[in-house]
Amino acid sequence: MHTVELPASNKIIYVPENLNECTPDQYMLFCRLIFKYQTNQINLLQFKKAAVYVLLNMNESKKERNDYEAAQINANLLLLFDLVDGFFTKDKDGVLQLKDHFTANPLPKIPTAWLNLIGPKHHFHQATFGEYVIALNIFSTYQATQDINLLYDLAAVYYRPHLFGLKIPFNENHISRIAQMLKNSDIGHIYGFYNYFSSFQNMLGTKKVYWEGKPIDFSILFTKTDGDQQPSEINGLGMKGTSYVLAESGVFGTLKDVNQTDMWEILFRLYDMKKRNIDHLNEIKRSKNENSTARKPA
């Protein structure tokens, strides 16, 4: 947390350094501003100014100011813009990238006009592989089309009502109905979940998960390795195709069983399959190198 002193009111305010330190309300409001900026509803200066107020848990005063007072406020805001900049990094092209390291789901629930919808646990624990396959397809399609309706569909995969204290099971046929309910919610919630899912995908592809104290590099699931079959010119089905392959193997049962299996169980199984394949290929290479060395004339 940053500390900001307000001498006029003799107060010290603690300000989040990143999204992980934001309250759910701060996170939602911050994501609403990001969405407005990325859809050209506000410019960068307007975004930063509004974001400062969100991080300070303050509302901009509507009181009329003279030129001196207005200049003082603007000067203070400029000093605080560094707090907002700390939420981003710049890629090699100078484009701002949101820092997205979370230790918990920043939006455990999304309020609608009728009731609160309960979201997934951190890192999507206890979510099914079927949910993930559908969500990944929606997520990828949104990135390709920027169709805002898909953001509601994505949230509708994971946010559902509670019945007698239990979250109702996932049903693909309910996505459109729940998405319609979510359209009564603030876009900050909806875009906030998109950012959280995006963060999870980024974590799978770039970072290591620890199991029994050992690092598990899930990025091998998303990268081509020597010995992989050369793809045809026909587009594949991605994770959907993977679910068919697993169903054909019978390891987790039928396709319905696969889709109802815990997502992490499937990911660990896929990791194990890919690792075994890589180890097998490395063993073949090692044997070939040894044989080649043995054949060389003395």
Side-chain angles (χ1 to χ4, degrees):
M1 286 281 186
H2 293 294
T3 56
V4 175
E5 296 184 23
L6 303 178
S9 56
N10 196 29
K11 286 184 178 180
I12 295 178
I13 297 178
Y14 296 95
V15 182
E17 290 187 46
N18 51 58
L19 290 175
N20 192 52
E21 294 184 348
C22 288
T23 65
D25 283 344
Q26 284 176 318
Y27 177 75
M28 182 275 290
L29 293 171
F30 198 89
C31 287
R32 179 207 290 171
L33 293 173
I34 294 172
F35 178 79
K36 285 186 173 182
Y37 171 64
Q38 293 188 337
T39 54
N40 299 314
Q41 297 178 51
I42 57 176
N43 60 35
L44 184 59
L45 182 62
Q46 291 171 320
F47 165 73
K48 287 188 174 183
K49 182 178 178 182
V52 166
Y53 283 105
V54 166
L55 298 178
L56 293 176
N57 280 324
M58 297 172 64
N59 294 316
E60 184 176 3
S61 174
K62 302 299 180 183
K63 180 181 176 181
E64 288 190 16
R65 309 283 185 179
N66 59 41
D67 290 345
Y68 174 77
E69 291 173 328
Q72 285 289 100
I73 291 173
N74 288 332
N76 289 333
L77 284 172
L78 285 172
L79 291 174
L80 294 172
F81 280 177
D82 286 344
L83 299 180
V84 179
D85 291 337
F87 279 67
F88 298 88
T89 58
K90 285 186 178 180
D91 64 17
K92 60 182 180 180
D93 299 318
V95 178
L96 292 177
Q97 300 289 332
L98 188 64
K99 293 179 181 177
D100 55 6
H101 310 305
F102 298 103
T103 57
N105 179 0
L107 292 172
K109 63 183 179 182
I110 295 180
T112 70
W114 301 281
L115 75 170
N116 290 329
L117 300 180
I118 308 303
K121 297 181 181 296
H122 181 51
H123 283 334
F124 297 86
H125 286 296
Q126 298 181 10
T128 66
F129 188 63
E131 289 174 272
Y132 178 61
V133 169
I134 292 171
L136 186 57
N137 176 53
I138 295 170
F139 173 78
S140 301
T141 305
Y142 172 76
Q143 290 190 315
T145 66
Q146 300 297 297
D147 180 354
I148 294 174
N149 289 313
L150 293 170
L151 292 176
Y152 294 96
D153 291 342
L154 178 63
V157 173
Y158 287 105
Y159 284 82
R160 300 190 291 278
H162 264 208
L163 187 63
F164 303 116
L166 297 174
K167 188 175 179 180
I168 64 172
F170 172 67
N171 187 326
E172 185 177 356
N173 296 324
H174 294 168
I175 291 177
S176 59
R177 180 173 59 84
I178 296 176
Q180 196 61 38
M181 292 172 62
L182 287 167
K183 288 185 178 179
N184 294 296
S185 302
D186 194 291
I187 190 63
H189 287 112
I190 308 306
Y191 198 68
F193 179 68
Y194 167 80
N195 283 328
Y196 180 54
F197 188 86
S198 177
S199 168
F200 177 72
Q201 277 301 109
N202 181 57
M203 182 272 293
L204 281 182
T206 62
K207 298 178 178 63
K208 293 178 175 62
V209 175
Y210 283 84
W211 182 259
E212 294 184 352
K214 298 176 182 178
I216 304 298
D217 185 2
F218 280 104
S219 67
I220 65 173
L221 300 180
F222 306 96
T223 54
K224 183 174 172 52
T225 55
D226 291 342
D228 287 349
Q229 276 192 329
Q230 291 296 321
S232 70
E233 295 180 358
I234 302 172
N235 291 330
L237 293 175
M239 280 294 180
K240 184 74 169 176
T242 299
S243 62
Y244 290 141
V245 171
L246 289 171
E248 289 171 1
S249 73
V251 173
F252 293 99
T254 65
L255 180 61
K256 182 179 180 181
D257 295 327
V258 169
N259 287 331
Q260 291 179 346
T261 299
D262 184 278
M263 176 196 71
W264 281 103
E265 283 296 320
I266 299 290
L267 291 178
F268 277 118
R269 173 60 176 166
L270 295 176
Y271 172 86
D272 187 57
M273 291 167 61
K274 188 68 176 278
K275 178 186 179 300
R276 290 185 189 188
N277 185 53
I278 293 173
D279 289 344
H280 176 65
L281 293 172
N282 287 337
E283 180 62 25
I284 291 175
K285 282 183 181 179
R286 186 184 65 79
S287 297
K288 285 183 177 179
N289 290 335
E290 288 178 353
N291 290 337
S292 176
T293 302
R295 291 195 198 101
K296 286 183 180 179

